[in-house]
Amino acid sequence: MQLSVVILNYNVRYFLELCVLSVQSALESIDGEIIVVDNNSSDDSCAMMQLRFPEVKLIQNKENLGFPKGNNIGVDQAQGKYICILNPDTVVAEDTFTKVLAFAESKKDLGIVGVKLIDGTGSFLPESKRGTPTPFVAFTKMIGLYKIRPKFELFGRYYAQHLQADETGEVDILVGAFMFMKRQLYLELEGFDENCFMYSDDIDLSYRMLKKGKSNYYLNQTTVLHYKGESTLRDGIYMKRFQEAMNFFYKKHFRVSAVFSIVMKTGIVLFSLIKMLQAKPKSKKAPQSFLFYSSNLELATKMTSIFQKKVGFHDLNTEKMVISSVIKDRPTVEILLDNHFVSFKECIHFMESFKSKGLTFKILPRKTNFLIGSDNSNERGVVVIIE
């Protein structure tokens, strides 16, 4: 078997369904498998998986075992030469795994491969590629020096700014939302460190891969949608676990002075608070109108009654996937993409292409009764049920 895709889920039932649908499409020409590990979700994630995807291997943990252990359990059951650790709030393109597999096979020193990630608005996520967060590099991140002088090499290391978003190359650290590697190598490193519940586990695994003499790569040839804010609610528990995670990484890999430890702890607290504040709901203009990209006129009419607002119909039987100049000048328009007629790759490309137009997007996954999306990577996503 070529590839095992391991998805660790916790209470994101609708995002999980969308994710698995996209992975199934991406594995059509690959000898692969999907393994979903559920960390004791209280929603109907497992019931949905059993009903909707009975062919997918589902592992149901009886408690929330955390990110590292949950993924380790999944990889232990995997059969593929390669594994992909994938967040449930992601959408992959139909050719994502084909491209990543080809790239991986071309490298003799392969460690981990990551890809270009965008959020629900189509904006590039800088954590797609990162440098080793030494105490100094982490400090420049926490106080924002990387924003003041992004092209200054000394301050641009956290987000590996030596490499542009549209370039492929070596980086130190990759994000746990998408990590592709050989299963045997993962097992040799004993997978994610289970002493860390979550948050620095991807940094730790990437760093240990480097110490093993392997090279980690950022691949820009495929883009994956990562809703990001959905998989983790940023509250007091988040702040506590984030602090514990960063302390774990520094104690494990670096020797720092007592004074610097105090500075770092203070910085971690401030950084955690900032992240929590960013997650607070912000006032924003609700869409005044909608544009539905589909070939289903009957469903377009139904959308109007659901939203109680004008829903324009872009008939894909007669029109191309474009946005008119009128729409471009109206940022309160929300784009609805029907996955029955628009591929996942087209959805991702469409969102990325119009990211700077101030539009919002939702996807109607094929054979489902809901629209799903996220307007802010610091907030939980939105699901609209179509009845």
Side-chain angles (χ1 to χ4, degrees):
M1 183 178 289
Q2 288 178 287
L3 176 62
S4 298
V5 181
V6 178
I7 305 169
L8 179 65
N9 176 70
Y10 181 66
N11 286 333
V12 287
R13 173 251 188 272
Y14 291 102
F15 283 87
L16 174 64
E17 184 171 356
L18 172 61
C19 177
V20 173
L21 282 169
S22 73
V23 173
Q24 283 187 329
S25 294
L27 289 178
E28 283 186 358
S29 62
I30 295 172
D31 180 15
E33 65 177 348
I34 303 171
I35 299 173
V36 172
V37 182
D38 186 80
N39 256 349
N40 196 31
S41 294
S42 57
D43 62 10
D44 65 338
S45 291
C46 292
M48 179 277 295
M49 286 299 304
Q50 291 167 339
L51 179 65
R52 188 87 157 88
F53 307 104
E55 71 282 6
V56 171
K57 183 160 193 172
L58 175 65
I59 301 172
Q60 299 182 59
N61 292 331
K62 295 183 179 180
E63 59 181 304
N64 185 355
L65 300 174
F67 184 89
K69 189 166 185 175
N71 277 297
N72 288 346
I73 289 172
V75 174
D76 185 60
Q77 297 291 314
Q79 300 296 315
K81 173 183 177 182
Y82 291 95
I83 58 166
C84 181
I85 304 297
L86 188 68
N87 264 31
D89 55 352
T90 58
V91 178
V92 299
E94 284 78 2
D95 60 357
T96 289
F97 295 130
T98 301
K99 288 184 175 181
V100 179
L101 269 169
F103 179 82
E105 289 284 275
S106 72
K107 299 296 179 182
K108 294 181 179 180
D109 61 344
L110 185 73
I112 304 172
V113 181
V115 297
K116 185 178 184 181
L117 300 173
I118 61 170
D119 66 13
T121 68
S123 300
F124 175 68
L125 291 171
E127 61 266 29
S128 300
K129 53 181 181 64
R130 291 175 289 177
T132 300
T134 61
F136 175 76
V137 170
F139 184 71
T140 63
K141 154 68 176 173
M142 285 187 284
I143 65 175
L145 288 176
Y146 74 100
K147 292 182 180 179
I148 299 172
R149 295 285 302 278
K151 294 184 178 180
F152 184 42
E153 195 274 336
L154 194 61
F155 294 162
R157 293 178 182 174
Y158 189 86
Y159 286 127
Q161 288 169 291
H162 68 283
L163 197 67
Q164 299 300 309
D166 58 355
E167 292 180 304
T168 291
E170 291 187 32
V171 295
D172 289 351
I173 308 298
L174 296 160
V175 65
F178 186 107
M179 301 183 88
F180 186 102
M181 70 203 85
K182 288 184 177 178
R183 178 173 178 268
Q184 185 56 42
L185 194 53
Y186 183 95
L187 295 176
E188 287 176 13
L189 290 173
E190 299 183 343
F192 289 110
D193 190 330
E194 295 179 12
N195 291 309
C196 178
F197 190 81
M198 61 194 310
Y199 296 126
S200 71
D201 30 56
D202 50 0
I203 299 174
D204 174 64
L205 184 62
S206 297
Y207 190 67
R208 284 189 284 130
M209 198 68 76
L210 296 177
K211 292 176 71 175
K212 191 175 177 63
K214 302 297 181 179
S215 297
N216 298 329
Y217 294 92
Y218 164 76
L219 179 66
N220 82 305
Q221 296 169 11
T222 184
T223 302
V224 169
L225 173 59
H226 181 205
Y227 288 108
K228 189 180 175 182
E230 182 59 24
S231 56
T232 302
L233 182 61
R234 301 178 187 276
D235 53 14
I237 296 176
Y238 163 84
M239 186 174 76
K240 179 176 182 293
R241 287 181 176 164
F242 181 82
Q243 292 178 54
E244 291 173 348
M246 294 309 295
N247 286 331
F248 159 80
F249 181 72
Y250 288 122
K251 287 180 179 178
K252 181 174 180 179
H253 295 292
F254 296 96
R255 296 180 63 183
V256 296
S257 67
V259 173
F260 197 83
S261 294
I262 295 173
V263 173
M264 287 304 300
K265 286 180 181 179
T266 303
I268 288 170
V269 171
L270 292 174
F271 184 62
S272 303
L273 288 171
I274 290 170
K275 285 294 184 182
M276 287 177 61
L277 291 172
Q278 287 176 338
K280 298 292 183 182
K282 298 177 182 178
S283 59
K284 54 187 176 185
K285 292 183 179 180
Q288 296 303 305
S289 61
F290 300 83
L291 183 58
F292 184 44
Y293 284 73
S294 178
S295 295
N296 190 332
L297 180 58
E298 181 181 349
L299 187 55
T301 303
K302 192 173 185 179
M303 293 286 187
T304 300
S305 63
I306 292 173
F307 290 106
Q308 295 295 302
K309 290 181 181 178
K310 179 182 178 182
V311 177
F313 180 53
H314 189 104
D315 191 347
L316 293 174
N317 280 327
T318 59
E319 302 177 76
K320 295 181 179 180
M321 284 282 295
V322 296
I323 292 182
S324 69
S325 58
V326 175
I327 296 298
K328 292 177 185 177
D329 296 329
R330 295 167 58 190
T332 55
V333 174
E334 182 158 282
I335 306 299
L336 311 175
L337 300 168
D338 188 349
N339 179 230
H340 292 85
F341 307 99
V342 185
S343 70
F344 289 114
K345 183 177 181 178
E346 289 172 327
C347 288
I348 293 168
H349 178 70
F350 197 71
M351 295 166 66
E352 190 174 12
S353 298
F354 295 99
K355 62 181 179 297
S356 60
K357 305 302 179 182
L359 303 168
T360 55
F361 304 90
K362 284 189 176 63
I363 296 174
L364 171 63
R366 63 177 182 272
K367 297 181 181 179
T368 68
N369 67 335
F370 61 88
L371 287 155
I372 192 166
S374 176
D375 303 340
N376 188 319
S377 58
N378 288 313
E379 297 177 10
R380 294 177 75 88
V382 175
V383 175
V384 179
I385 304 299
I386 302 173
E387 298 178 333

